[in-house]
Amino acid sequence: AIWFMTDKALYWLNASDFSIHATTCINPTPTKINAVYRSTDDRVWIACYRHGFIIYDIAEDAATLEVPETWTMNFYEDESHTMWISNWHSYQLIAWDMRNGECQYWRGKNEQGYEANVITTSIARSGMVNDSLLLLSTLQLGVRAFDIRSKEYVGGYNRDIFSKYSLPTDFINFIFTDSHGIVWLCTWEGLCKVNALEQQFRSMEIPFLSTPMFMYYNLIEGIVEADEPGTWWLGVDGCGIIKYDTARKQLLQEFMADITQPNLFESGSWTENLMKANNGVVWGMHANGLVSLKSGVLTQYDLPPPIGHYGRKTICIASDHTFWITTLTHLINFDTTTGEFTFFEI
């Protein structure tokens, strides 16, 4: 059966004949349902935004609303029949004993020792880390680790623009462990694969970005061939556009950034996309607009503020060779011949 919650009540769909059946479980909230989870003891757990969670007993067709003061986000059942419940602020992390209904909760603390205001979105475990650790995805604080034996938070993984071993963002909607124990993160900056054994997230080893003096922001957004054999143009988020010799492993040119000035991050250094058109012109997109590279000459096309700063952008090339760009607030058409932008407000 497939269990689903509407704005009215809980239903189940028979997958063999597609018949739909109602239950006595009523939705207590006019807002959204964050998650529906079926546990091994044949109960359905329903996360009600700002209204706690419901436990529905399938055999008895009976439901109870629990901890209504919490904003429940998700569920994770461990082998000891403890249901771990993630929450938006409020209690943050709840351990619910599925045998007797007893529960406890833990709130994390910040560096100053005060209780942190954290949105815990989901929970997972992985064989790549200590088997006593829960991995908690959060909005604002990346991935946090909670030791179920010592009952305490024991660090985690955070976004760090000065480290190549870093999350793409601290805003994570969901954490998932596949059958091989590999952890996947659904973030506000796309899907992130985690190699927990090597502490690597979204990175690529570029030798000149890894020096004893400074660990540069090592997120490669795009690679295209340059004019000379064995050379690449690299779009590096935080380091602009770089020409790289693959044989000699040397930096040849850098535009819109200066890796000798590691603390200088202008808008142009945050490259988000790099591609090469059919006519050989290399195009890059960054936080403030577009650039073109032709015969080693860079031309800048600025988006007017604040449109250019509204979130991460995507780009595609139309059949008429113009570009279509998305931001959070606008759909933008760019004419590569005239250099003009046309804006369509979303």
mmCIF file with all atom_site columns, all heavy atoms in Angstrom, residues 302-315:
data_model
loop_
_atom_site.group_PDB
_atom_site.id
_atom_site.type_symbol
_atom_site.label_atom_id
_atom_site.label_alt_id
_atom_site.label_comp_id
_atom_site.label_asym_id
_atom_site.label_entity_id
_atom_site.label_seq_id
_atom_site.pdbx_PDB_ins_code
_atom_site.Cartn_x
_atom_site.Cartn_y
_atom_site.Cartn_z
_atom_site.occupancy
_atom_site.B_iso_or_equiv
_atom_site.pdbx_formal_charge
_atom_site.auth_seq_id
_atom_site.auth_comp_id
_atom_site.auth_asym_id
_atom_site.auth_atom_id
_atom_site.pdbx_PDB_model_num
ATOM 1   N N   . ASP A 1 302 ? 27.620 43.151 -17.336 1.00 0.00 ? 302 ASP A N   1
ATOM 2   C CA  . ASP A 1 302 ? 27.061 43.181 -15.982 1.00 0.00 ? 302 ASP A CA  1
ATOM 3   C C   . ASP A 1 302 ? 25.538 43.131 -15.994 1.00 0.00 ? 302 ASP A C   1
ATOM 4   O O   . ASP A 1 302 ? 24.892 43.821 -16.799 1.00 0.00 ? 302 ASP A O   1
ATOM 5   C CB  . ASP A 1 302 ? 27.498 44.452 -15.246 1.00 0.00 ? 302 ASP A CB  1
ATOM 6   C CG  . ASP A 1 302 ? 28.953 44.402 -14.844 1.00 0.00 ? 302 ASP A CG  1
ATOM 7   O OD1 . ASP A 1 302 ? 29.468 43.286 -14.655 1.00 0.00 ? 302 ASP A OD1 1
ATOM 8   O OD2 . ASP A 1 302 ? 29.577 45.483 -14.715 1.00 0.00 ? 302 ASP A OD2 1
ATOM 9   N N   . LEU A 1 303 ? 24.986 42.333 -15.096 1.00 0.00 ? 303 LEU A N   1
ATOM 10  C CA  . LEU A 1 303 ? 23.552 42.366 -14.841 1.00 0.00 ? 303 LEU A CA  1
ATOM 11  C C   . LEU A 1 303 ? 23.266 43.500 -13.864 1.00 0.00 ? 303 LEU A C   1
ATOM 12  O O   . LEU A 1 303 ? 24.023 43.703 -12.909 1.00 0.00 ? 303 LEU A O   1
ATOM 13  C CB  . LEU A 1 303 ? 23.089 41.046 -14.229 1.00 0.00 ? 303 LEU A CB  1
ATOM 14  C CG  . LEU A 1 303 ? 22.917 39.862 -15.180 1.00 0.00 ? 303 LEU A CG  1
ATOM 15  C CD1 . LEU A 1 303 ? 22.774 38.578 -14.381 1.00 0.00 ? 303 LEU A CD1 1
ATOM 16  C CD2 . LEU A 1 303 ? 21.696 40.058 -16.054 1.00 0.00 ? 303 LEU A CD2 1
ATOM 17  N N   . PRO A 1 304 ? 22.190 44.249 -14.081 1.00 0.00 ? 304 PRO A N   1
ATOM 18  C CA  . PRO A 1 304 ? 21.902 45.346 -13.148 1.00 0.00 ? 304 PRO A CA  1
ATOM 19  C C   . PRO A 1 304 ? 21.512 44.802 -11.773 1.00 0.00 ? 304 PRO A C   1
ATOM 20  O O   . PRO A 1 304 ? 20.786 43.817 -11.678 1.00 0.00 ? 304 PRO A O   1
ATOM 21  C CB  . PRO A 1 304 ? 20.719 46.064 -13.812 1.00 0.00 ? 304 PRO A CB  1
ATOM 22  C CG  . PRO A 1 304 ? 20.074 45.032 -14.675 1.00 0.00 ? 304 PRO A CG  1
ATOM 23  C CD  . PRO A 1 304 ? 21.187 44.152 -15.154 1.00 0.00 ? 304 PRO A CD  1
ATOM 24  N N   . PRO A 1 305 ? 22.017 45.424 -10.700 1.00 0.00 ? 305 PRO A N   1
ATOM 25  C CA  . PRO A 1 305 ? 21.607 44.990 -9.360  1.00 0.00 ? 305 PRO A CA  1
ATOM 26  C C   . PRO A 1 305 ? 20.156 45.373 -9.123  1.00 0.00 ? 305 PRO A C   1
ATOM 27  O O   . PRO A 1 305 ? 19.679 46.362 -9.681  1.00 0.00 ? 305 PRO A O   1
ATOM 28  C CB  . PRO A 1 305 ? 22.556 45.778 -8.442  1.00 0.00 ? 305 PRO A CB  1
ATOM 29  C CG  . PRO A 1 305 ? 22.957 46.971 -9.252  1.00 0.00 ? 305 PRO A CG  1
ATOM 30  C CD  . PRO A 1 305 ? 22.955 46.540 -10.687 1.00 0.00 ? 305 PRO A CD  1
ATOM 31  N N   . PRO A 1 306 ? 19.402 44.628 -8.296  1.00 0.00 ? 306 PRO A N   1
ATOM 32  C CA  . PRO A 1 306 ? 19.905 43.442 -7.575  1.00 0.00 ? 306 PRO A CA  1
ATOM 33  C C   . PRO A 1 306 ? 19.637 42.133 -8.307  1.00 0.00 ? 306 PRO A C   1
ATOM 34  O O   . PRO A 1 306 ? 19.812 41.068 -7.733  1.00 0.00 ? 306 PRO A O   1
ATOM 35  C CB  . PRO A 1 306 ? 19.078 43.485 -6.289  1.00 0.00 ? 306 PRO A CB  1
ATOM 36  C CG  . PRO A 1 306 ? 17.748 44.007 -6.754  1.00 0.00 ? 306 PRO A CG  1
ATOM 37  C CD  . PRO A 1 306 ? 18.044 45.001 -7.860  1.00 0.00 ? 306 PRO A CD  1
ATOM 38  N N   . ILE A 1 307 ? 19.237 42.181 -9.585  1.00 0.00 ? 307 ILE A N   1
ATOM 39  C CA  . ILE A 1 307 ? 18.832 40.970 -10.304 1.00 0.00 ? 307 ILE A CA  1
ATOM 40  C C   . ILE A 1 307 ? 19.961 39.938 -10.329 1.00 0.00 ? 307 ILE A C   1
ATOM 41  O O   . ILE A 1 307 ? 19.754 38.751 -10.138 1.00 0.00 ? 307 ILE A O   1
ATOM 42  C CB  . ILE A 1 307 ? 18.392 41.321 -11.736 1.00 0.00 ? 307 ILE A CB  1
ATOM 43  C CG1 . ILE A 1 307 ? 17.105 42.155 -11.706 1.00 0.00 ? 307 ILE A CG1 1
ATOM 44  C CG2 . ILE A 1 307 ? 18.197 40.066 -12.563 1.00 0.00 ? 307 ILE A CG2 1
ATOM 45  C CD1 . ILE A 1 307 ? 16.683 42.685 -13.055 1.00 0.00 ? 307 ILE A CD1 1
ATOM 46  N N   . GLY A 1 308 ? 21.176 40.397 -10.551 1.00 0.00 ? 308 GLY A N   1
ATOM 47  C CA  . GLY A 1 308 ? 22.301 39.482 -10.667 1.00 0.00 ? 308 GLY A CA  1
ATOM 48  C C   . GLY A 1 308 ? 22.659 38.769 -9.391  1.00 0.00 ? 308 GLY A C   1
ATOM 49  O O   . GLY A 1 308 ? 23.417 37.810 -9.411  1.00 0.00 ? 308 GLY A O   1
ATOM 50  N N   . HIS A 1 309 ? 22.127 39.214 -8.253  1.00 0.00 ? 309 HIS A N   1
ATOM 51  C CA  . HIS A 1 309 ? 22.521 38.629 -6.976  1.00 0.00 ? 309 HIS A CA  1
ATOM 52  C C   . HIS A 1 309 ? 21.436 37.747 -6.381  1.00 0.00 ? 309 HIS A C   1
ATOM 53  O O   . HIS A 1 309 ? 21.585 37.272 -5.270  1.00 0.00 ? 309 HIS A O   1
ATOM 54  C CB  . HIS A 1 309 ? 22.874 39.741 -5.987  1.00 0.00 ? 309 HIS A CB  1
ATOM 55  C CG  . HIS A 1 309 ? 24.016 40.588 -6.448  1.00 0.00 ? 309 HIS A CG  1
ATOM 56  N ND1 . HIS A 1 309 ? 25.328 40.181 -6.321  1.00 0.00 ? 309 HIS A ND1 1
ATOM 57  C CD2 . HIS A 1 309 ? 24.060 41.795 -7.064  1.00 0.00 ? 309 HIS A CD2 1
ATOM 58  C CE1 . HIS A 1 309 ? 26.130 41.117 -6.810  1.00 0.00 ? 309 HIS A CE1 1
ATOM 59  N NE2 . HIS A 1 309 ? 25.384 42.099 -7.281  1.00 0.00 ? 309 HIS A NE2 1
ATOM 60  N N   . TYR A 1 310 ? 20.349 37.536 -7.102  1.00 0.00 ? 310 TYR A N   1
ATOM 61  C CA  . TYR A 1 310 ? 19.258 36.730 -6.567  1.00 0.00 ? 310 TYR A CA  1
ATOM 62  C C   . TYR A 1 310 ? 19.501 35.248 -6.807  1.00 0.00 ? 310 TYR A C   1
ATOM 63  O O   . TYR A 1 310 ? 19.027 34.655 -7.760  1.00 0.00 ? 310 TYR A O   1
ATOM 64  C CB  . TYR A 1 310 ? 17.930 37.143 -7.198  1.00 0.00 ? 310 TYR A CB  1
ATOM 65  C CG  . TYR A 1 310 ? 17.312 38.363 -6.590  1.00 0.00 ? 310 TYR A CG  1
ATOM 66  C CD1 . TYR A 1 310 ? 16.521 39.207 -7.345  1.00 0.00 ? 310 TYR A CD1 1
ATOM 67  C CD2 . TYR A 1 310 ? 17.513 38.667 -5.251  1.00 0.00 ? 310 TYR A CD2 1
ATOM 68  C CE1 . TYR A 1 310 ? 15.939 40.333 -6.785  1.00 0.00 ? 310 TYR A CE1 1
ATOM 69  C CE2 . TYR A 1 310 ? 16.940 39.791 -4.678  1.00 0.00 ? 310 TYR A CE2 1
ATOM 70  C CZ  . TYR A 1 310 ? 16.160 40.616 -5.449  1.00 0.00 ? 310 TYR A CZ  1
ATOM 71  O OH  . TYR A 1 310 ? 15.585 41.723 -4.892  1.00 0.00 ? 310 TYR A OH  1
ATOM 72  N N   . GLY A 1 311 ? 20.280 34.626 -5.955  1.00 0.00 ? 311 GLY A N   1
ATOM 73  C CA  . GLY A 1 311 ? 20.425 33.180 -5.976  1.00 0.00 ? 311 GLY A CA  1
ATOM 74  C C   . GLY A 1 311 ? 21.275 32.658 -7.117  1.00 0.00 ? 311 GLY A C   1
ATOM 75  O O   . GLY A 1 311 ? 21.740 33.384 -7.991  1.00 0.00 ? 311 GLY A O   1
ATOM 76  N N   . ARG A 1 312 ? 21.491 31.371 -7.079  1.00 0.00 ? 312 ARG A N   1
ATOM 77  C CA  . ARG A 1 312 ? 22.298 30.703 -8.090  1.00 0.00 ? 312 ARG A CA  1
ATOM 78  C C   . ARG A 1 312 ? 21.552 30.681 -9.415  1.00 0.00 ? 312 ARG A C   1
ATOM 79  O O   . ARG A 1 312 ? 20.361 30.426 -9.470  1.00 0.00 ? 312 ARG A O   1
ATOM 80  C CB  . ARG A 1 312 ? 22.599 29.286 -7.626  1.00 0.00 ? 312 ARG A CB  1
ATOM 81  C CG  . ARG A 1 312 ? 23.613 28.581 -8.488  1.00 0.00 ? 312 ARG A CG  1
ATOM 82  C CD  . ARG A 1 312 ? 23.977 27.258 -7.853  1.00 0.00 ? 312 ARG A CD  1
ATOM 83  N NE  . ARG A 1 312 ? 24.977 26.573 -8.647  1.00 0.00 ? 312 ARG A NE  1
ATOM 84  C CZ  . ARG A 1 312 ? 26.273 26.853 -8.605  1.00 0.00 ? 312 ARG A CZ  1
ATOM 85  N NH1 . ARG A 1 312 ? 26.712 27.781 -7.785  1.00 0.00 ? 312 ARG A NH1 1
ATOM 86  N NH2 . ARG A 1 312 ? 27.125 26.206 -9.354  1.00 0.00 ? 312 ARG A NH2 1
ATOM 87  N N   . LYS A 1 313 ? 22.291 30.905 -10.520 1.00 0.00 ? 313 LYS A N   1
ATOM 88  C CA  . LYS A 1 313 ? 21.692 31.017 -11.834 1.00 0.00 ? 313 LYS A CA  1
ATOM 89  C C   . LYS A 1 313 ? 21.989 29.788 -12.687 1.00 0.00 ? 313 LYS A C   1
ATOM 90  O O   . LYS A 1 313 ? 22.991 29.111 -12.488 1.00 0.00 ? 313 LYS A O   1
ATOM 91  C CB  . LYS A 1 313 ? 22.220 32.277 -12.529 1.00 0.00 ? 313 LYS A CB  1
ATOM 92  C CG  . LYS A 1 313 ? 21.814 33.571 -11.818 1.00 0.00 ? 313 LYS A CG  1
ATOM 93  C CD  . LYS A 1 313 ? 22.448 34.785 -12.445 1.00 0.00 ? 313 LYS A CD  1
ATOM 94  C CE  . LYS A 1 313 ? 23.908 34.957 -12.060 1.00 0.00 ? 313 LYS A CE  1
ATOM 95  N NZ  . LYS A 1 313 ? 24.072 35.235 -10.634 1.00 0.00 ? 313 LYS A NZ  1
ATOM 96  N N   . THR A 1 314 ? 21.104 29.508 -13.636 1.00 0.00 ? 314 THR A N   1
ATOM 97  C CA  . THR A 1 314 ? 21.349 28.470 -14.631 1.00 0.00 ? 314 THR A CA  1
ATOM 98  C C   . THR A 1 314 ? 21.256 29.104 -16.012 1.00 0.00 ? 314 THR A C   1
ATOM 99  O O   . THR A 1 314 ? 20.683 30.178 -16.186 1.00 0.00 ? 314 THR A O   1
ATOM 100 C CB  . THR A 1 314 ? 20.325 27.324 -14.520 1.00 0.00 ? 314 THR A CB  1
ATOM 101 O OG1 . THR A 1 314 ? 19.002 27.875 -14.635 1.00 0.00 ? 314 THR A OG1 1
ATOM 102 C CG2 . THR A 1 314 ? 20.446 26.618 -13.191 1.00 0.00 ? 314 THR A CG2 1
ATOM 103 N N   . ILE A 1 315 ? 21.820 28.427 -17.025 1.00 0.00 ? 315 ILE A N   1
ATOM 104 C CA  . ILE A 1 315 ? 21.911 29.029 -18.351 1.00 0.00 ? 315 ILE A CA  1
ATOM 105 C C   . ILE A 1 315 ? 21.774 27.942 -19.419 1.00 0.00 ? 315 ILE A C   1
ATOM 106 O O   . ILE A 1 315 ? 22.192 26.802 -19.210 1.00 0.00 ? 315 ILE A O   1
ATOM 107 C CB  . ILE A 1 315 ? 23.266 29.775 -18.508 1.00 0.00 ? 315 ILE A CB  1
ATOM 108 C CG1 . ILE A 1 315 ? 23.325 30.562 -19.817 1.00 0.00 ? 315 ILE A CG1 1
ATOM 109 C CG2 . ILE A 1 315 ? 24.441 28.833 -18.386 1.00 0.00 ? 315 ILE A CG2 1
ATOM 110 C CD1 . ILE A 1 315 ? 24.530 31.494 -19.900 1.00 0.00 ? 315 ILE A CD1 1
#
